[in-house]
Amino acid sequence: MAKQAIELKYAVRFRVVLKYFGQLCIVLAALTLVPLVMSVIFGDLTISLRYGIVVGMLAVFGASLARLRTPVRMQANEGMVLVALMYLLTSLVMSYPMMGSGLGFLDALFEVISGITTTGLTTTETLVGASSTFLFGRAWMQWYGGLGILVFSLAFFFIQPGLFAKSLAVTETEPDNLIGGIRAHTRRVLTVYSILTTLGIIGSLLLGMKLFDAVLYTFTAVSTAGFSPYDSSLAMLDWPAQVWITLLCLAGAVPLMLFYRLLTKNKRIAVDFLQLKAIVIASLIVSIAVGALMRLSGGMAWPQVFHHAPLLAISAQTNTGFSSMSVAQLDAGSKLVLIFSMIVGGGTGSTAGGFKLLRLLIVASVLRLILLRTCLPQHAVIEPRLAGRRLLDREIHATLVIIMAFFAVVVLSWLPFVAMGYSPLDSLFEVVSATATTGLSVGLTSPALPAVLKSILCIDMLMGRLEIIAWLVMLYPGTWFGKRMEVT
């Protein structure tokens, strides 16, 4: 079987990757026009020039590659390579405008990666005095990073849906929609995302927020990203605004198609609704656990406990990264609870990170089945099910592989921090926050963090955003070397 698989495998076709890479560059150029226009409005003409150079280079480069001949079909490895390459390109080219705000290359690269992966960690020492162009630019990256450039490409006809069906699996589009109705599905997701964003801005304005703050907080809330225009994150807002932004985070962390299916009474709503319930229950459990530890171990007053515990719990579970207090002040037990909450994350088909609650539910379902079989006769036939749907073997295998990969990345990234003398618990918290694309920080991520550790966190954010598999495909020699399918 292994020999047959080797004989059937195909390396990526460079013309295929280059053609669609070019088309995605055009989309990235179009998305970059927004911060370009805003920089002109804010009067930061030096940064406007930098954005203009990026837009021009992407447009010319993309147009030249997009003319290559279209293949009949795209291989799964080609799609994953394409996604990974776009994240790398975006990280590099968008660092150039960020450097115009006074950041060095590594710190600008860190800021961009944190933005496009919807993480929210920052090495910027303070946001006091930061330009509006800088604040808007990184919030905008988080907003379009929440869905990914691929979604915009599919929604606006830049990519042929049939060709991109398999590769889109890396962005969590539903298997049922991978063939045929993928463009309609993508447009619905983008529509829901846009409506949530609009409602978020309107609601924030009604609660008394300034327009600029309302836009930035909403951009980073619905994308479960967490960049704030202020050093103190949510602490700058009064409690009604904090609650509103937190609710937006919850909305972004559930499957976006849930909102559409609620209106259309779609029959496939069961799994999405299960994830909604799971996120609410998980947030409640984490809130109670963190609140109890705040009171018992930290000696925090009850009014503060009731205020901070739910906000931190929802921020961790949705992988948003907003905070209403300094996470560094938390006791060890609270940090451990938040670590587990962050690495599990939100729902599939959402903007949240982590290995996803649905996968935890799949593992729980399989474990329940194993225990149940010990009580049944040997000839009994029973299948693993979730929300009334039979779980396929490949879904179970993929779930276990991704969870194992997440923990492997966390452990390998954690060891260098400990080796360099940082607190084991705080190091674990920071690494999990980066890998789960959360953004909560105990203070290790700072301008003073050694370059090698900043680089590790950058890798963690990129790994976590694409759930690791796409990067393993990039590193696999068989992806690049071997026989190739003919382009027709």
Side-chain angles (χ1 to χ4, degrees):
M1 182 67 71
K3 183 178 180 181
Q4 291 176 341
I6 292 175
E7 291 175 350
L8 290 173
K9 74 179 181 68
Y10 291 101
V12 298
R13 297 161 295 181
F14 295 111
R15 287 173 60 87
V16 174
V17 173
L18 289 174
K19 174 184 176 62
Y20 290 103
F21 185 71
Q23 292 187 348
L24 292 177
C25 285
I26 296 173
V27 177
L28 181 58
L31 291 170
T32 308
L33 286 173
V34 175
L36 169 59
V37 171
M38 295 304 297
S39 67
V40 174
I41 294 174
F42 294 135
D44 291 331
L45 299 185
T46 303
I47 299 180
S48 300
L49 178 61
R50 289 176 177 255
Y51 274 122
I53 292 173
V54 169
V55 170
M57 290 179 59
L58 287 172
V60 172
F61 181 65
S64 62
L65 293 180
R67 295 175 182 176
L68 295 174
R69 189 172 60 173
T70 304
V72 172
R73 58 185 289 269
M74 177 178 282
Q75 299 165 189
N77 58 356
E78 291 168 346
M80 292 187 180
V81 164
L82 185 58
V83 174
L85 287 175
M86 278 309 301
Y87 271 88
L88 290 176
L89 176 73
T90 306
S91 301
L92 291 172
V93 299
M94 291 305 159
S95 297
Y96 180 60
M98 279 290 167
M99 291 172 66
S101 297
L103 300 178
F105 172 72
L106 182 56
D107 287 334
L109 181 66
F110 190 101
E111 204 78 9
V112 172
I113 291 176
S114 184
I116 63 173
T117 60
T118 67
T119 304
L121 288 173
T122 181
T123 58
T124 304
E125 187 170 5
T126 180
L127 295 176
V128 176
S131 68
S132 299
T133 300
F134 172 78
L135 296 174
F136 181 87
R138 64 184 203 152
W140 175 252
M141 283 190 295
Q142 290 197 321
W143 187 81
Y144 72 69
L147 287 185
I149 297 172
L150 290 178
V151 171
F152 292 93
S153 303
L154 281 164
F156 297 109
F157 299 100
F158 284 93
I159 299 292
Q160 292 296 320
L163 300 176
F164 225 66
K166 289 185 178 179
S167 63
L168 208 75
V170 80
T171 62
E172 298 179 346
T173 301
E174 301 172 13
D176 294 344
N177 287 304
L178 287 179
I179 299 174
I182 191 170
R183 177 162 288 151
H185 170 84
T186 304
R187 286 177 176 171
R188 290 167 189 154
V189 170
L190 183 55
T191 299
V192 169
Y193 195 59
S194 301
I195 291 174
L196 285 177
T197 303
T198 302
L199 292 177
I201 294 173
I202 293 173
S204 299
L205 291 172
L206 292 175
L207 289 171
M209 293 174 63
K210 297 178 181 178
L211 177 59
F212 188 70
D213 289 349
V215 170
L216 266 56
Y217 272 111
T218 300
F219 276 177
T220 55
V222 298
S223 61
T224 61
F227 271 152
S228 168
Y230 301 101
D231 292 331
S232 55
S233 191
L234 289 184
M236 279 295 298
L237 307 177
D238 54 23
W239 72 265
Q242 290 181 359
V243 171
W244 175 247
I245 296 300
T246 302
L247 290 175
L248 290 177
C249 298
L250 272 175
V254 301
L256 294 177
M257 282 299 291
L258 170 65
F259 301 100
Y260 174 81
R261 289 176 180 146
L262 282 172
L263 295 175
T264 60
K265 299 180 180 179
N266 191 291
K267 63 181 180 181
R268 286 196 289 260
I269 199 173
V271 174
D272 291 345
F273 196 67
L274 175 65
Q275 293 187 77
L276 172 61
K277 290 192 294 184
I279 291 174
V280 172
I281 293 173
S283 298
L284 180 61
I285 292 173
V286 174
S287 297
I288 294 172
V290 171
L293 289 166
M294 281 179 170
R295 178 63 182 172
L296 297 176
S297 300
M300 190 176 290
W302 281 116
Q304 292 179 298
V305 169
F306 287 127
H307 176 73
H308 295 300
L311 294 179
L312 282 173
I314 294 175
S315 180
Q317 195 65 57
T318 61
N319 304 114
T320 304
F322 284 135
S323 60
S324 54
M325 61 170 288
S326 172
V327 179
Q329 298 175 2
L330 294 176
D331 59 277
S334 296
K335 291 178 182 177
L336 282 172
V337 172
L338 293 178
I339 284 172
F340 181 76
S341 178
M342 288 190 295
I343 200 168
V344 173
T348 58
S350 72
T351 62
F355 64 70
K356 305 296 186 296
L357 263 170
L358 182 62
R359 294 193 176 106
L360 183 63
L361 294 174
I362 290 175
V363 171
S365 178
V366 173
L367 179 60
R368 175 181 174 276
L369 180 64
I370 292 173
L371 296 175
L372 183 59
R373 279 177 174 165
T374 63
C375 307
L376 297 174
Q378 291 185 356
H379 60 273
V381 177
I382 185 171
E383 298 175 331
R385 289 185 171 273
L386 190 66
R389 178 178 170 274
R390 176 178 173 269
L391 294 174
L392 303 177
D393 288 342
R394 60 182 176 83
E395 293 174 323
I396 297 173
H397 295 159
T399 292
L400 295 177
V401 167
I402 289 175
I403 292 176
M404 290 172 59
F406 258 90
F407 280 102
V409 169
V410 167
V411 171
L412 292 175
S413 302
W414 171 68
L415 291 175
F417 278 82
V418 177
M420 295 184 70
Y422 288 90
S423 162
L425 179 59
D426 287 349
S427 299
L428 182 62
F429 191 100
E430 214 78 358
V431 166
V432 168
S433 182
T435 309
T437 66
T438 304
L440 286 173
S441 175
V442 291
L444 297 190
T445 303
S446 68
L449 189 70
V452 63
L453 298 184
K454 288 180 183 177
S455 301
I456 288 174
L457 292 180
C458 285
I459 294 172
D460 288 340
M461 290 185 284
L462 288 169
M463 283 278 189
R465 183 57 186 165
L466 296 187
E467 297 187 335
I468 301 162
I469 302 302
W471 300 107
L472 296 180
V473 171
M474 280 273 288
L475 297 174
Y476 175 54
T479 299
W480 305 101
F481 305 104
K483 63 181 179 180
R484 306 180 197 277
M485 189 179 294
E486 292 185 8
V487 178
T488 56

